[in-house]
Amino acid sequence: MAAQATFKSIKALVPLLDRVLVQRFKPETKTATGIFLPTSATTSPLPEATVIATGPGAPNKNGEVVPTIVKAGDRVLLPGWGGNAIKVGDEEYYLFRDSEILAKIQE
């Protein structure tokens, strides 16, 4: 089971190295007409998320810092596993390594 941390403000959290702070999209649980959707219809096999903040990057074998590929505001595709959960009030965020993010979603 992954550890879970609790903070009062998301601004208090600054990712280090190649860590990326994301917030997963919440699927709609009911339609515009008020029909509730079953969990099977709202669960995505690969969750999408919005990048909230990124670390500066991690050093490579030569000691040069390689910046993260994504930046705050990007929409990304996450693996169905992993990440460390962070709770801020009722909101849940996750920390992933930059290399664990599967794709950046272009609009």
Side-chain angles (χ1 to χ4, degrees):
M1 176 184 258
Q4 186 168 335
T6 304
F7 297 90
K8 293 184 182 189
S9 167
I10 197 63
K11 294 189 187 306
L13 187 66
V14 179
L16 299 177
L17 298 174
D18 63 343
R19 304 295 194 300
V20 177
L21 180 67
V22 299
Q23 184 175 30
R24 289 184 176 164
F25 290 141
K26 293 179 184 163
E28 293 295 327
T29 55
K30 77 177 177 177
T31 65
T33 58
I35 298 171
F36 284 93
L37 300 170
T39 305
S40 60
T42 61
T43 304
S44 172
L46 294 173
E48 291 181 30
T50 300
V51 175
I52 304 300
T54 65
N60 63 15
K61 63 182 178 181
N62 299 326
E64 301 162 347
V65 174
V66 178
T68 57
I69 295 172
V70 296
K71 63 183 184 326
D74 284 348
R75 285 182 54 207
V76 295
L77 197 60
L78 301 173
W81 46 265
N84 292 88
I86 299 162
K87 195 100 163 146
V88 179
D90 291 337
E91 297 292 323
E92 196 165 45
Y93 299 85
Y94 294 87
L95 272 173
F96 282 89
R97 287 190 179 275
D98 188 44
S99 61
E100 293 174 337
I101 293 173
L102 301 176
K104 186 160 59 165
I105 301 169
Q106 302 285 349
E107 294 196 39

XYZ file of all heavy atoms in Angstrom:
804
model
N 0.845 -1.179 0.000
C 0.000 0.000 0.000
C 0.891 1.242 0.000
O 1.857 1.320 0.736
C -0.909 -0.020 1.227
C -1.759 1.229 1.341
S -2.736 1.226 2.841
C -4.279 0.760 2.151
N 0.555 2.212 -0.825
C 1.352 3.442 -0.937
C 1.094 4.334 0.270
O -0.003 4.377 0.810
C 1.006 4.181 -2.223
N 2.127 5.040 0.680
C 1.980 5.980 1.791
C 1.132 7.155 1.338
O 1.111 7.518 0.169
C 3.358 6.461 2.234
N 0.425 7.752 2.271
C -0.412 8.902 1.938
C -0.067 10.037 2.884
O -0.007 9.862 4.087
C -1.891 8.535 2.052
C -2.784 9.660 1.571
C -4.216 9.213 1.409
O -4.477 8.041 1.214
N -5.128 10.129 1.492
N 0.186 11.205 2.318
C 0.503 12.392 3.110
C -0.667 13.359 3.040
O -1.432 13.335 2.093
C 1.768 13.049 2.567
N -0.800 14.213 4.051
C -1.874 15.203 4.082
C -1.274 16.587 4.282
O -0.442 16.779 5.158
C -2.864 14.890 5.226
O -3.343 13.567 5.060
C -4.028 15.852 5.209
N -1.712 17.556 3.461
C -1.235 18.932 3.536
C -2.430 19.872 3.580
O -3.498 19.535 3.104
C -0.364 19.274 2.314
C 0.885 18.449 2.235
C 0.888 17.247 1.553
C 2.047 18.875 2.846
C 2.035 16.480 1.490
C 3.198 18.119 2.783
C 3.196 16.918 2.105
N -2.218 21.085 4.093
C -3.293 22.072 4.145
C -3.431 22.829 2.835
O -4.496 23.279 2.485
C -3.065 23.038 5.299
C -3.205 22.359 6.645
C -3.074 23.321 7.779
C -3.191 22.529 9.069
N -3.294 23.301 10.235
N -2.317 22.995 2.098
C -2.338 23.725 0.833
C -1.427 23.033 -0.156
O -0.317 22.638 0.188
C -1.869 25.164 1.043
O -1.606 25.776 -0.201
N -1.863 22.894 -1.395
C -1.048 22.254 -2.418
C 0.173 23.105 -2.740
O 1.203 22.596 -3.167
C -1.890 21.926 -3.678
C -1.172 20.896 -4.550
C -2.209 23.169 -4.456
C -0.958 19.570 -3.894
N 0.098 24.404 -2.495
C 1.234 25.297 -2.743
C 2.399 25.001 -1.800
O 3.527 25.400 -2.049
C 0.800 26.753 -2.624
C -0.192 27.153 -3.707
C -0.439 28.638 -3.688
C -1.533 29.074 -4.612
N -1.455 28.708 -5.965
N 2.131 24.294 -0.699
C 3.184 23.940 0.251
C 4.056 22.802 -0.274
O 5.100 22.512 0.292
C 2.563 23.533 1.589
N 3.638 22.176 -1.357
C 4.345 21.011 -1.880
C 5.118 21.375 -3.141
O 4.531 21.794 -4.135
C 3.338 19.897 -2.177
C 3.938 18.576 -2.576
C 4.706 17.972 -1.403
C 2.849 17.631 -3.002
N 6.437 21.210 -3.112
C 7.297 21.477 -4.267
C 7.989 20.170 -4.636
O 8.807 19.662 -3.865
C 8.344 22.567 -3.939
C 9.250 22.819 -5.125
C 7.659 23.856 -3.496
N 7.681 19.589 -5.806
C 8.315 18.332 -6.197
C 9.832 18.489 -6.349
O 10.318 19.539 -6.771
C 7.677 18.008 -7.550
C 6.421 18.801 -7.593
C 6.696 20.030 -6.785
N 10.573 17.450 -6.007
C 12.023 17.442 -6.141
C 12.442 16.593 -7.338
O 11.694 15.734 -7.799
C 12.668 16.874 -4.871
C 12.402 17.647 -3.582
C 13.043 16.933 -2.400
C 12.932 19.064 -3.686
N 13.650 16.852 -7.825
C 14.259 16.098 -8.921
C 13.296 15.960 -10.092
O 12.788 16.946 -10.591
C 14.772 14.753 -8.413
C 15.861 14.846 -7.339
C 16.193 13.471 -6.790
C 17.090 15.533 -7.873
N 13.045 14.726 -10.520
C 12.193 14.504 -11.695
C 10.771 14.116 -11.319
O 10.067 13.482 -12.086
C 12.811 13.446 -12.606
C 12.909 12.082 -11.938
O 12.816 12.011 -10.687
O 13.085 11.088 -12.654
N 10.319 14.515 -10.132
C 8.956 14.199 -9.693
C 7.963 15.177 -10.328
O 8.269 16.344 -10.550
C 8.815 14.276 -8.182
C 9.750 13.432 -7.354
C 9.529 11.954 -7.560
N 10.140 11.061 -6.618
C 11.417 10.934 -6.346
N 12.296 11.737 -6.877
N 11.858 10.021 -5.505
N 6.756 14.665 -10.587
C 5.691 15.455 -11.204
C 4.439 15.303 -10.338
O 4.014 14.188 -10.043
C 5.412 14.978 -12.651
C 4.265 15.751 -13.269
C 6.670 15.084 -13.504
N 3.858 16.424 -9.930
C 2.630 16.435 -9.144
C 1.454 16.563 -10.093
O 1.408 17.493 -10.905
C 2.652 17.608 -8.163
C 1.432 17.767 -7.263
C 1.341 16.613 -6.272
C 1.498 19.094 -6.520
N 0.513 15.620 -10.023
C -0.640 15.625 -10.927
C -1.932 15.485 -10.143
O -1.941 15.021 -9.010
C -0.565 14.479 -11.977
C 0.664 14.606 -12.841
C -0.620 13.113 -11.321
N -3.024 15.906 -10.791
C -4.362 15.666 -10.257
C -5.140 14.939 -11.331
O -5.260 15.426 -12.461
C -5.058 16.971 -9.883
C -6.405 16.743 -9.235
C -7.043 18.027 -8.742
O -6.829 19.092 -9.300
N -7.842 17.919 -7.695
N -5.609 13.749 -10.989
C -6.357 12.939 -11.954
C -7.699 13.575 -12.254
O -8.322 14.194 -11.395
C -6.571 11.528 -11.414
C -5.304 10.736 -11.379
C -5.556 9.322 -10.941
N -4.306 8.576 -11.027
C -4.100 7.423 -10.440
N -5.045 6.873 -9.724
N -2.948 6.820 -10.575
N -8.147 13.401 -13.508
C -9.474 13.875 -13.888
C -10.505 13.029 -13.177
O -10.369 11.822 -13.065
C -9.698 13.749 -15.403
C -8.882 14.701 -16.215
C -8.332 14.288 -17.412
C -8.650 16.002 -15.816
C -7.574 15.149 -18.182
C -7.901 16.872 -16.570
C -7.365 16.441 -17.768
N -11.547 13.686 -12.712
C -12.647 12.959 -12.081
C -13.689 12.673 -13.149
O -14.196 13.599 -13.776
C -13.257 13.788 -10.957
C -12.319 13.984 -9.805
C -12.956 14.820 -8.734
C -11.951 15.070 -7.634
N -12.310 16.161 -6.778
N -14.013 11.408 -13.367
C -15.020 11.096 -14.373
C -16.398 11.577 -13.933
O -16.695 11.636 -12.743
C -14.984 9.568 -14.466
C -14.401 9.121 -13.174
C -13.500 10.229 -12.693
N -17.195 11.945 -14.914
C -18.577 12.353 -14.626
C -19.330 11.140 -14.105
O -19.259 10.058 -14.689
C -19.247 12.880 -15.899
C -18.649 14.175 -16.410
C -18.849 15.345 -15.461
O -19.888 15.397 -14.781
O -17.945 16.190 -15.392
N -20.045 11.310 -13.002
C -20.794 10.198 -12.439
C -22.274 10.254 -12.795
O -23.017 9.341 -12.497
C -20.649 10.149 -10.904
O -21.042 11.408 -10.367
C -19.207 9.837 -10.514
N -22.677 11.374 -13.410
C -24.053 11.414 -13.906
C -24.107 12.277 -15.162
O -23.283 13.163 -15.371
C -25.038 11.882 -12.832
C -25.082 13.329 -12.531
C -26.183 13.583 -11.495
C -26.188 15.038 -11.121
N -27.241 15.388 -10.195
N -25.080 11.999 -15.992
C -25.230 12.708 -17.258
C -25.895 14.067 -17.025
O -26.386 14.356 -15.929
C -26.095 11.895 -18.242
O -27.413 11.798 -17.703
C -25.522 10.518 -18.493
N -25.933 14.883 -18.064
C -26.559 16.205 -17.973
C -28.039 16.103 -17.622
O -28.611 17.021 -17.039
C -26.375 16.950 -19.283
N -28.666 14.980 -17.970
C -30.091 14.795 -17.674
C -30.332 14.175 -16.305
O -31.472 13.937 -15.924
C -30.755 13.920 -18.754
O -30.081 12.663 -18.804
C -30.719 14.595 -20.108
N -29.229 13.898 -15.550
C -29.384 13.399 -14.188
C -29.308 11.900 -14.027
O -29.537 11.384 -12.943
N -28.970 11.173 -15.087
C -28.849 9.711 -14.982
C -27.479 9.375 -14.408
O -26.456 9.825 -14.909
C -29.033 9.041 -16.363
C -30.430 9.349 -16.894
C -28.776 7.540 -16.278
C -30.651 8.921 -18.320
N -27.453 8.570 -13.343
C -26.190 8.166 -12.730
C -25.542 7.065 -13.558
O -26.209 6.107 -13.962
C -26.406 7.695 -11.287
C -26.624 8.835 -10.343
C -27.900 9.262 -10.050
C -25.540 9.495 -9.771
C -28.107 10.337 -9.186
C -25.740 10.562 -8.911
C -27.022 10.988 -8.619
N -24.241 7.210 -13.801
C -23.495 6.238 -14.593
C -22.865 5.195 -13.671
O -22.363 5.529 -12.598
C -22.389 6.946 -15.386
C -22.871 8.006 -16.367
C -21.687 8.792 -16.909
C -23.641 7.360 -17.501
N -22.852 3.918 -14.089
C -22.214 2.882 -13.267
C -20.689 3.076 -13.265
O -20.123 3.663 -14.179
C -22.601 1.579 -13.964
C -22.886 1.969 -15.370
C -23.417 3.376 -15.313
N -20.030 2.577 -12.229
C -18.581 2.713 -12.096
C -17.851 2.156 -13.315
O -16.872 2.723 -13.769
C -18.096 1.987 -10.822
O -18.826 2.510 -9.716
C -16.619 2.203 -10.596
N -18.349 1.073 -13.885
C -17.697 0.462 -15.044
C -17.688 1.399 -16.246
O -16.791 1.341 -17.077
C -18.380 -0.853 -15.415
O -19.735 -0.608 -15.732
N -18.649 2.303 -16.326
C -18.721 3.241 -17.450
C -17.880 4.486 -17.205
O -17.577 5.223 -18.134
C -20.169 3.650 -17.694
N -17.480 4.731 -15.961
C -16.728 5.942 -15.648
C -15.250 5.666 -15.362
O -14.489 6.580 -15.143
C -17.333 6.664 -14.432
O -17.281 5.794 -13.301
C -18.750 7.102 -14.706
N -14.850 4.388 -15.352
C -13.472 4.037 -15.056
C -12.678 3.930 -16.340
O -13.002 3.131 -17.204
C -13.409 2.704 -14.286
O -14.214 2.824 -13.128
C -11.993 2.374 -13.874
N -11.643 4.750 -16.457
C -10.758 4.722 -17.623
C -9.651 3.719 -17.369
O -9.098 3.681 -16.272
C -10.171 6.112 -17.859
O -9.188 6.059 -18.844
N -9.272 2.897 -18.367
C -8.195 1.943 -18.156
C -6.856 2.645 -17.894
O -6.050 2.171 -17.130
C -8.157 1.138 -19.446
C -8.943 1.914 -20.442
C -9.851 2.813 -19.685
N -6.631 3.789 -18.517
C -5.432 4.588 -18.275
C -5.886 5.997 -17.889
O -6.412 6.731 -18.717
C -4.548 4.641 -19.521
C -3.924 3.312 -19.928
C -3.216 3.450 -21.261
C -2.968 2.819 -18.869
N -5.710 6.369 -16.632
C -6.227 7.643 -16.164
C -5.498 8.846 -16.764
O -4.293 8.826 -16.966
C -6.030 7.591 -14.657
C -5.176 6.423 -14.368
C -5.099 5.586 -15.576
N -6.270 9.890 -17.031
C -5.715 11.160 -17.480
C -5.576 12.065 -16.263
O -6.284 11.916 -15.279
C -6.657 11.826 -18.485
C -6.755 11.116 -19.797
C -7.679 11.830 -20.770
O -7.788 13.068 -20.700
O -8.299 11.139 -21.583
N -4.641 13.017 -16.359
C -4.406 13.931 -15.245
C -3.899 15.260 -15.770
O -3.456 15.359 -16.923
C -3.395 13.338 -14.274
N -3.963 16.260 -14.918
C -3.395 17.570 -15.198
C -2.145 17.732 -14.341
O -2.184 17.446 -13.139
C -4.392 18.692 -14.852
O -5.568 18.512 -15.635
C -3.805 20.062 -15.128
N -1.059 18.206 -14.950
C 0.171 18.454 -14.206
C -0.006 19.734 -13.404
O -0.370 20.774 -13.945
C 1.381 18.571 -15.159
C 2.643 18.951 -14.389
C 1.586 17.276 -15.931
N 0.241 19.661 -12.101
C 0.120 20.801 -11.203
C 1.483 21.481 -11.019
O 1.582 22.698 -11.058
C -0.434 20.368 -9.826
C -1.775 19.644 -9.986
C -0.552 21.557 -8.883
C -2.879 20.443 -10.636
N 2.531 20.692 -10.823
C 3.880 21.234 -10.619
C 4.895 20.159 -10.966
O 4.583 18.967 -10.941
C 4.067 21.675 -9.177
N 6.114 20.588 -11.297
C 7.192 19.642 -11.599
C 8.451 20.048 -10.847
O 8.637 21.212 -10.504
C 7.526 19.607 -13.106
O 8.050 20.876 -13.488
C 6.315 19.265 -13.943
N 9.301 19.057 -10.627
C 10.613 19.331 -10.059
C 11.520 19.868 -11.160
O 11.158 19.873 -12.340
N 12.724 20.308 -10.812
C 13.640 20.882 -11.799
C 14.250 19.850 -12.747
O 14.732 20.201 -13.808
C 14.726 21.522 -10.928
C 14.696 20.749 -9.651
C 13.260 20.341 -9.466
N 14.217 18.585 -12.379
C 14.818 17.539 -13.188
C 15.822 16.757 -12.362
O 16.153 17.140 -11.250
N 16.314 15.665 -12.938
C 17.263 14.808 -12.234
C 18.596 14.809 -12.966
O 18.637 14.941 -14.195
C 16.714 13.393 -12.142
N 19.703 14.649 -12.226
C 20.998 14.620 -12.886
C 21.201 13.311 -13.658
O 20.779 12.253 -13.208
C 21.996 14.733 -11.730
C 21.245 14.392 -10.495
C 19.798 14.605 -10.782
N 21.850 13.410 -14.833
C 22.178 12.203 -15.591
C 23.522 11.669 -15.102
O 24.086 12.177 -14.126
C 22.166 12.481 -17.106
C 23.216 13.492 -17.534
O 24.149 13.816 -16.797
N 23.064 14.007 -18.742
N 24.083 10.673 -15.777
C 25.326 10.056 -15.314
C 26.520 11.010 -15.379
O 27.521 10.785 -14.720
C 25.610 8.778 -16.102
C 25.836 8.986 -17.573
C 26.059 7.672 -18.284
C 26.237 7.931 -19.770
N 26.440 6.702 -20.496
N 26.407 12.091 -16.151
C 27.473 13.093 -16.225
C 27.273 14.230 -15.225
O 28.039 15.184 -15.204
C 27.559 13.688 -17.641
C 27.877 12.638 -18.681
O 28.618 11.684 -18.402
N 27.321 12.786 -19.855
N 26.195 14.155 -14.428
C 25.917 15.180 -13.440
C 25.139 16.370 -13.974
O 24.860 17.312 -13.231
N 24.764 16.346 -15.253
C 23.983 17.438 -15.838
C 22.509 17.211 -15.538
O 22.006 16.106 -15.687
C 24.194 17.479 -17.352
C 25.633 17.676 -17.764
C 25.887 17.274 -19.213
O 25.015 16.625 -19.831
O 26.969 17.608 -19.701
N 21.818 18.272 -15.119
C 20.391 18.151 -14.792
C 19.582 18.076 -16.084
O 19.676 18.951 -16.941
C 19.918 19.329 -13.920
C 18.409 19.282 -13.719
C 20.628 19.306 -12.584
N 18.789 17.013 -16.202
C 17.892 16.828 -17.346
C 16.506 17.270 -16.890
O 15.929 16.654 -15.995
C 17.862 15.354 -17.808
C 16.893 15.166 -18.950
C 19.254 14.881 -18.168
N 15.959 18.358 -17.470
C 14.656 18.860 -17.014
C 13.529 17.872 -17.318
O 13.648 17.025 -18.201
C 14.471 20.157 -17.798
C 15.431 20.102 -18.923
C 16.516 19.140 -18.559
N 12.433 18.001 -16.565
C 11.271 17.146 -16.813
C 10.676 17.486 -18.182
O 10.800 18.619 -18.659
C 10.195 17.339 -15.723
O 9.837 18.712 -15.673
C 10.689 16.879 -14.369
N 10.045 16.512 -18.802
C 9.486 16.684 -20.144
C 8.160 17.441 -20.100
O 7.851 18.194 -21.000
C 9.315 15.305 -20.824
C 10.689 14.668 -21.029
C 8.574 15.422 -22.135
C 10.656 13.247 -21.505
N 7.397 17.252 -19.028
C 6.095 17.912 -18.916
C 6.221 19.171 -18.067
O 7.196 19.348 -17.338
C 5.032 16.961 -18.321
C 4.788 15.789 -19.242
C 5.435 16.486 -16.942
N 5.210 20.046 -18.164
C 5.198 21.271 -17.364
C 3.796 21.475 -16.785
O 2.836 20.824 -17.208
C 5.634 22.474 -18.204
C 4.738 22.796 -19.364
C 5.298 23.948 -20.179
C 4.438 24.414 -21.302
N 3.628 23.530 -22.030
N 3.684 22.374 -15.834
C 2.396 22.658 -15.191
C 1.364 23.033 -16.251
O 1.657 23.795 -17.165
C 2.552 23.773 -14.171
N 0.174 22.454 -16.125
C -0.908 22.727 -17.065
C -1.055 21.667 -18.149
O -2.099 21.587 -18.794
N -0.024 20.842 -18.372
C -0.112 19.787 -19.384
C -1.119 18.718 -18.975
O -1.281 18.432 -17.785
C 1.251 19.096 -19.585
C 2.229 19.925 -20.378
O 1.820 20.939 -20.989
O 3.422 19.551 -20.404
N -1.793 18.144 -19.963
C -2.646 16.965 -19.735
C -1.806 15.748 -20.075
O -1.140 15.714 -21.117
C -3.884 17.003 -20.623
C -4.907 18.006 -20.142
C -6.161 18.009 -20.985
N -6.732 16.684 -21.100
C -7.470 16.275 -22.138
N -7.729 17.091 -23.126
N -7.953 15.054 -22.186
N -1.816 14.758 -19.198
C -0.981 13.580 -19.384
C -1.774 12.299 -19.173
O -2.849 12.308 -18.573
C 0.235 13.599 -18.421
C 1.162 14.755 -18.746
C -0.202 13.646 -16.970
N -1.213 11.214 -19.674
C -1.780 9.879 -19.507
C -0.901 9.137 -18.512
O 0.320 9.075 -18.678
C -1.785 9.159 -20.856
C -2.661 7.940 -21.013
C -4.121 8.292 -20.772
C -2.492 7.365 -22.401
N -1.510 8.604 -17.454
C -0.773 7.939 -16.382
C -0.906 6.430 -16.480
O -1.887 5.924 -17.022
C -1.329 8.373 -15.019
C -1.288 9.851 -14.697
C -2.035 10.116 -13.398
C 0.134 10.333 -14.604
N 0.045 5.695 -15.904
C -0.142 4.248 -15.809
C -1.273 3.943 -14.834
O -1.633 4.793 -14.008
C 1.208 3.750 -15.275
C 1.810 4.915 -14.584
C 1.295 6.142 -15.292
N -1.838 2.775 -14.908
C -2.938 2.396 -14.023
C -2.486 2.064 -12.615
O -3.287 1.746 -11.763
N -1.201 2.142 -12.328
C -0.619 1.796 -11.028
C 0.405 2.852 -10.646
O 0.782 3.686 -11.459
C 0.088 0.440 -11.128
C 0.942 0.383 -12.360
C 0.593 -0.142 -13.577
C 2.241 0.949 -12.555
N 1.595 0.051 -14.495
C 2.634 0.712 -13.893
C 3.125 1.628 -11.736
C 3.847 1.133 -14.411
C 4.344 2.045 -12.266
C 4.692 1.782 -13.586
N 0.851 2.801 -9.408
C 1.961 3.650 -8.959
C 1.540 5.026 -8.507
O 0.362 5.345 -8.399
N 2.536 5.841 -8.256
C 2.306 7.185 -7.760
C 2.090 7.178 -6.263
O 1.697 6.170 -5.680
N 2.403 8.283 -5.634
C 2.174 8.447 -4.205
C 1.036 9.433 -4.007
O 1.085 10.544 -4.513
C 3.439 8.960 -3.511
C 4.527 7.917 -3.512
O 5.303 7.839 -4.460
N 4.569 7.098 -2.489
N 0.014 9.012 -3.265
C -1.165 9.841 -3.038
C -0.870 10.937 -2.024
O -0.173 10.706 -1.037
C -2.325 8.981 -2.544
N -1.387 12.136 -2.304
C -1.260 13.277 -1.403
C -2.642 13.889 -1.267
O -3.274 14.218 -2.266
C -0.277 14.320 -1.968
C 1.097 13.682 -2.107
C -0.227 15.548 -1.081
C 2.006 14.427 -3.013
N -3.109 14.036 -0.039
C -4.446 14.552 0.217
C -4.346 16.008 0.669
O -3.579 16.329 1.567
C -5.086 13.706 1.316
C -6.555 13.886 1.429
C -7.259 12.759 0.740
C -8.682 12.742 1.219
N -9.610 12.337 0.258
N -5.119 16.886 0.021
C -5.208 18.291 0.412
C -6.690 18.599 0.561
O -7.401 18.730 -0.426
C -4.559 19.226 -0.630
C -4.682 20.672 -0.197
C -3.105 18.857 -0.859
N -7.152 18.679 1.799
C -8.588 18.835 2.038
C -9.308 17.612 1.489
O -8.980 16.485 1.832
N -10.270 17.834 0.581
C -10.992 16.724 -0.042
C -10.378 16.314 -1.371
O -10.831 15.368 -2.003
C -12.460 17.109 -0.270
C -13.223 17.244 1.041
O -12.778 16.642 2.038
O -14.250 17.942 1.059
N -9.374 17.056 -1.840
C -8.756 16.794 -3.142
C -7.606 15.802 -2.996
O -6.892 15.808 -1.999
C -8.229 18.090 -3.761
C -9.300 19.105 -4.053
C -10.249 18.680 -5.159
O -9.799 18.054 -6.131
O -11.452 18.971 -5.052
N -7.433 14.976 -4.019
C -6.343 14.003 -4.013
C -5.417 14.272 -5.195
O -5.868 14.477 -6.318
C -6.901 12.581 -4.088
C -5.898 11.542 -3.711
C -6.544 10.190 -3.431
O -7.401 9.781 -4.227
O -6.185 9.569 -2.426
N -4.124 14.301 -4.926
C -3.086 14.529 -5.921
C -2.136 13.338 -5.875
O -2.148 12.557 -4.930
C -2.308 15.812 -5.608
C -3.164 17.051 -5.605
C -3.867 17.443 -4.470
C -3.281 17.839 -6.743
C -4.650 18.582 -4.467
C -4.075 18.979 -6.748
C -4.750 19.339 -5.598
O -5.531 20.471 -5.606
N -1.288 13.212 -6.894
C -0.325 12.115 -6.953
C 1.029 12.625 -7.407
O 1.107 13.544 -8.236
C -0.801 11.031 -7.929
C -2.045 10.333 -7.468
C -3.304 10.851 -7.764
C -1.973 9.171 -6.718
C -4.455 10.228 -7.322
C -3.126 8.534 -6.281
C -4.351 9.071 -6.589
O -5.485 8.454 -6.150
N 2.086 12.020 -6.888
C 3.440 12.293 -7.337
C 3.921 11.098 -8.153
O 3.874 9.959 -7.691
C 4.384 12.487 -6.148
C 4.501 13.886 -5.586
C 5.331 13.868 -4.310
C 5.104 14.837 -6.590
N 4.366 11.361 -9.363
C 4.948 10.350 -10.244
C 6.325 10.822 -10.673
O 6.600 12.024 -10.693
C 4.094 10.178 -11.521
C 2.856 9.367 -11.330
C 1.670 9.979 -10.951
C 2.859 8.007 -11.543
C 0.515 9.239 -10.779
C 1.702 7.260 -11.373
C 0.534 7.872 -10.992
N 7.178 9.908 -11.065
C 8.433 10.279 -11.718
C 8.090 10.658 -13.155
O 7.170 10.108 -13.754
C 9.420 9.122 -11.727
C 10.014 8.845 -10.371
C 11.172 7.857 -10.505
N 11.762 7.595 -9.230
C 12.706 8.333 -8.665
N 13.171 9.386 -9.290
N 13.188 8.024 -7.491
N 8.843 11.591 -13.703
C 8.632 12.035 -15.079
C 8.650 10.838 -16.039
O 7.832 10.748 -16.944
C 9.728 13.045 -15.445
C 9.499 13.719 -16.778
O 8.368 14.123 -17.054
O 10.473 13.842 -17.540
N 9.539 9.888 -15.810
C 9.675 8.730 -16.704
C 8.505 7.755 -16.601
O 8.326 6.919 -17.481
C 10.980 7.992 -16.423
O 10.997 7.516 -15.083
N 7.683 7.848 -15.558
C 6.528 6.963 -15.401
C 5.313 7.455 -16.185
O 4.385 6.691 -16.429
C 6.148 6.828 -13.918
C 7.177 6.125 -13.102
C 6.847 6.120 -11.599
O 6.088 7.001 -11.142
O 7.360 5.240 -10.918
N 5.308 8.726 -16.564
C 4.179 9.278 -17.313
C 4.217 8.710 -18.730
O 5.258 8.722 -19.390
C 4.230 10.817 -17.318
C 4.003 11.308 -15.880
C 3.185 11.399 -18.260
C 4.184 12.785 -15.700
N 3.089 8.181 -19.185
C 3.039 7.459 -20.453
C 3.022 8.378 -21.671
O 3.651 8.083 -22.681
C 1.810 6.553 -20.489
C 1.723 5.508 -19.376
C 0.414 4.750 -19.471
C 2.908 4.563 -19.447
N 2.295 9.486 -21.591
C 2.159 10.359 -22.762
C 1.660 11.738 -22.344
O 1.024 11.888 -21.302
C 1.181 9.757 -23.763
N 1.971 12.710 -23.187
C 1.416 14.050 -23.049
C 0.289 14.145 -24.067
O 0.455 13.741 -25.215
C 2.490 15.101 -23.304
C 2.018 16.505 -23.048
C 3.117 17.527 -22.831
C 4.097 17.692 -23.935
N 4.897 18.922 -23.794
N -0.860 14.649 -23.653
C -2.026 14.727 -24.532
C -2.046 16.091 -25.208
O -2.126 17.124 -24.547
C -3.332 14.484 -23.745
C -3.280 13.092 -23.093
C -4.545 14.639 -24.647
C -4.373 12.849 -22.091
N -1.936 16.093 -26.541
C -1.970 17.332 -27.322
C -3.420 17.677 -27.615
O -4.220 16.811 -27.902
C -1.219 17.147 -28.653
C 0.210 16.722 -28.504
C 1.126 17.838 -28.040
O 0.750 18.998 -28.005
N 2.329 17.473 -27.662
N -3.743 18.952 -27.564
C -5.132 19.355 -27.850
C -5.212 20.071 -29.169
O -4.345 20.636 -29.669
C -5.637 20.231 -26.722
C -5.734 19.418 -25.458
C -6.560 20.087 -24.404
O -7.581 20.702 -24.733
O -6.208 19.979 -23.242
